[in-house]
Structure formats: C-alpha cells, structure tokens
Amino acid sequence: MRTSIITSVLSAVTAVYGYADPMACTGVCTNAHDPALIRRDDGTYYRFSTGGKIAIHSAPSITGPWTYKGAAIPAGSKINLKGKDDLWAPDVTKVADTYYLYYSVSSFGVQDSAIGVATSTNLDTWTDHGATGIASSAGKNYNAIDGALYWDGSKFVMSFGSFWSDIFSVGMANPPLNTSGSATTPIAFKPEGEHAQEGAFIAKNGNYHYLFFSVGKCCGFDANRPAKGAEYKIQVCRSTSATGGFVDQAGKKCTEGGGTTVLESHGFVYGPGGQGVFYDPKLGPVLYYHYVDTRIGYADGQKKFGVNAINFSSGWPVV
Ligand SMILES: *[C@@H]1O[C@H](CO)[C@@H](O)[C@H](O)[C@H]1NC(C)=O
Ligand SMILES: *[C@@H]1O[C@H](CO)[C@@H](O)[C@H](O)[C@H]1NC(C)=O
C-alpha cells in the first residue's frame, strides 16, 4: 500500500514536470538571448535578442527558417551610459501603426542602467529616441533593465527590474515613449540569496494578468555552472490587477518569494529564461524563451530560441 502511494506520488511528479520539448527551429536558432517575438501583418515573424546592438532575425513561420537581418540600433543608444553599444533584453510591442522596441543600457552587475526606446513602422529599420525616464544608479532599490510594456485594458504599464529589490512596475504615457509619472511599484521579490529574479513579462489570459519572470543564474554556463536547480527557470504569478496583488498557484505573494514554476531544465533543455508570451494566430498563446541545448554547448552565444504552446485551461500556464 505504501508502495502504491509512493508510485502515485511519483507519477504525479512526472506529470507536473512533463514539459514538452521546444518546437522545431530551423535556420539561425542560436544568438537568441532574451528574445522578443512579434509577427508582422504579412505573416513574417521577427525575433529580437540581446547583443549585436539588438540582433534582428526574421522567418516566414514561427519555427523558421530564421535569417539574420542586422542590428536594430546600429549606432548604439543615445543614452550616454556604459553599455550604450551593447544593448540588452529587447521587448517589442505594436501600438496603433508603430512598433516600440525597449532595450536596456547597463553593464554586468552594476545599477548604472536605463531603459531606452526605439520606434519603427516595419520592424526592419528603427529610430532611437533614447531615454524612457526609467533609470537607476547606485543606491536605488532596483536596476532599470529588462523593461516589458503591457496594456492592461486602460493604461500602459512597464514591468522592469533585475536583482536588488527585483521587479517593479511604472505607468507609461500613450504613446508609450516615456513614463507617465515617477511612482514605481514593487510587484515581485525573492527574499533569499542574491534576489536572482529578472526579465518580467506580463500577459493577459481570461480575467487574469500573468506575471512571468526568470529566476536564478542566467549566464556564463560554459565557465561556471551553479548547483543543480540554481540555473535560470521560468516562474509565474497572477493577479486581477496588472500593477500588484500577484500570487502564485499556492497563494503565496509574489512580493514575498512566490512563484509557480512554468519551465525549468529538462532533457536537453538547460536554464530556460528571458521569456515572453505571444498570441499566435494559429497556435494560440506560446511561451518563447532562450535555453542552452546541452547537445550544442553552454556558451551565451549558443543560447537557442525555444517556443512551447501554453495551455491555460487550469487557470495556470502549462507547457
Ligand atoms: C523621457 O523623459 C526623460 C526624463 O524626463 C527625458 O530625458 C527623455 O528625453 C524623455 N524621452 C522621450 C523619448 O521623450
Ligand atoms: C489542456 O490541458 C487539459 C488538462 O489540464 C487537457 O484536458 C486539454 O486537452 C489540454 N488542451 C490542449 C489543447 O492540449
């Protein structure tokens, strides 16, 4: 009897951790760190990623073949901070007929950071506008990187942050070139250790706003891999407000360490993170992210683009 209880517990665990492999990907599927995914009305998919002054790749379908198209901001950012020639963590949103690309100007491990914005009408050529007004320096309780724009039904909000006191939100004007005020609200925090939480992205499903984020060590796995489980993984909380009240599936507040794991290392997938959610006209909601394909290699430049369909039928995202 004891054995059968253990067996059923084990099979429940297997079901919970039974992540689907990423969908097929052809063409240039590496160079995909912190991806942002969007589809143009003509059906062409665009992927933006960290490095190369925001690398642009495009493809005729979500699975490829992906082709490198150049840098979004080839002259570097107008924001005069160290890192203006090495832009991170793009986020792309279409508002009316204009695409808005948010990027981070920073350098590793410091708070001298800012979120910048560029616009485009075709996703190929971009005009940099520089500062959004979201910035940080030593002494602030956040690091102004990893911005992601979200329309909550009545206003634009930007989630941002990385380490220190983790994830915050700030109101954005319409059109969303700048903040609408200076008030920042904490929305997620991991009290333990280095507060390794970043890369937030809010998406709507049903009555809830879902806050996805990455937890753990992101990078440099070729030089140094952390203890098992301390590498990047993707978690989620949800709320009926886009600016607070996020809790995980167990009801734990996201500002007090809450977070339900959506995707973590499994099979050949190691350290998935830098995620976003995209509503595909054919596939419905998909989670996209970067990961190490252990069959290829652990270097940051080898990070691969992953896509999984999301099943929200339980009220929580399952991939
Ligand atoms: C946004 O506001 C900041 C701070 O007021 C300002 O420096 C910046 O130029 C503004 N950016 C845009 C794109 O209007
Ligand atoms: C979504 O998950 C539920 C179980 O939670 C399952 O019954 C349903 O078939 C799944 N939907 C799809 C499209 O896979």
Side-chain angles (χ1 to χ4, degrees):
M1 192 166 133
R2 201 181 166 112
T3 312
S4 70
I5 290 169
I6 290 169
T7 307
S8 61
V9 167
L10 281 177
S11 61
V13 169
T14 308
V16 168
Y17 292 101
Y19 305 113
D21 285 342
M23 284 176 200
C25 183
T26 61
V28 186
C29 298
T30 54
N31 191 20
H33 203 273
D34 295 333
L37 178 70
I38 195 162
R39 179 183 177 274
R40 209 165 55 185
D41 287 344
D42 67 0
T44 308
Y45 289 80
Y46 277 74
R47 185 182 93 211
F48 297 82
S49 55
T50 285
K53 295 172 181 155
I54 305 299
I56 309 175
H57 294 78
S58 75
S61 96
I62 202 166
T63 55
W66 291 96
T67 311
Y68 177 65
K69 304 290 280 187
I73 307 174
S77 174
K78 281 184 173 175
I79 298 173
N80 193 19
L81 275 180
K82 187 177 170 205
K84 67 191 168 85
D85 290 317
D86 179 25
L87 310 174
W88 297 350
D91 171 67
V92 179
T93 308
K94 191 179 187 190
V95 178
D97 291 327
T98 303
Y99 298 96
Y100 292 78
L101 185 163
Y102 301 93
Y103 59 81
S104 312
V105 181
S106 187
S107 33
F108 211 78
V110 301
Q111 281 174 286
D112 296 321
S113 310
I115 295 172
V117 60
T119 56
S120 173
T121 53
N122 56 21
L123 293 171
D124 290 311
T125 54
W126 293 85
T127 305
D128 183 32
H129 302 278
T132 57
I134 307 172
S136 61
S137 53
K140 280 258 188 190
N141 59 350
Y142 50 73
N143 189 15
I145 70 168
D146 291 0
L149 185 73
Y150 180 65
W151 174 255
D152 79 351
S154 62
K155 63 185 180 302
F156 286 112
V157 296
M158 180 84 83
S159 59
F160 68 93
S162 165
F163 290 62
W164 283 273
S165 298
D166 289 330
I167 314 293
F168 288 75
S169 114
V170 65
M172 293 293 287
N174 189 3
L177 286 170
N178 223 313
T179 56
S180 57
S182 56
T184 55
T185 311
I187 54 174
F189 179 60
K190 294 285 189 200
E192 67 278 1
E194 291 186 294
H195 320 305
Q197 183 180 34
E198 57 190 0
F201 189 103
I202 305 176
K204 183 96 198 271
N205 200 269
N207 295 324
Y208 289 102
H209 308 279
Y210 291 83
L211 174 67
F212 293 80
F213 48 86
S214 305
V215 181
K217 182 174 153 71
C218 69
C219 308
F221 298 137
D222 48 344
N224 180 15
R225 283 203 283 292
K228 190 170 168 6
E231 73 279 17
Y232 245 22
K233 64 183 169 201
I234 300 168
Q235 294 194 328
V236 72
C237 288
R238 74 177 189 189
S239 174
T240 52
S241 160
T243 53
F246 290 98
V247 295
D248 71 12
Q249 200 165 358
K252 188 172 184 183
K253 289 181 180 171
C254 216
T255 47
E256 295 175 2
T260 297
T261 299
V262 180
L263 186 63
E264 62 196 325
S265 299
H266 65 101
F268 60 83
V269 173
Y270 180 82
Q275 77 297 318
V277 173
F278 174 69
Y279 281 83
D280 187 76
K282 287 183 215 136
L283 301 167
V286 299
L287 182 74
Y288 61 83
Y289 51 92
H290 70 238
Y291 69 98
V292 162
D293 183 330
T294 58
R295 301 166 304 184
I296 298 178
Y298 289 81
D300 289 333
Q302 293 174 310
K303 296 259 173 72
K304 238 180 127 172
F305 182 56
V307 178
N308 285 52
I310 302 177
N311 185 335
F312 272 108
S313 73
S314 67
W316 289 92
V318 173
V319 301

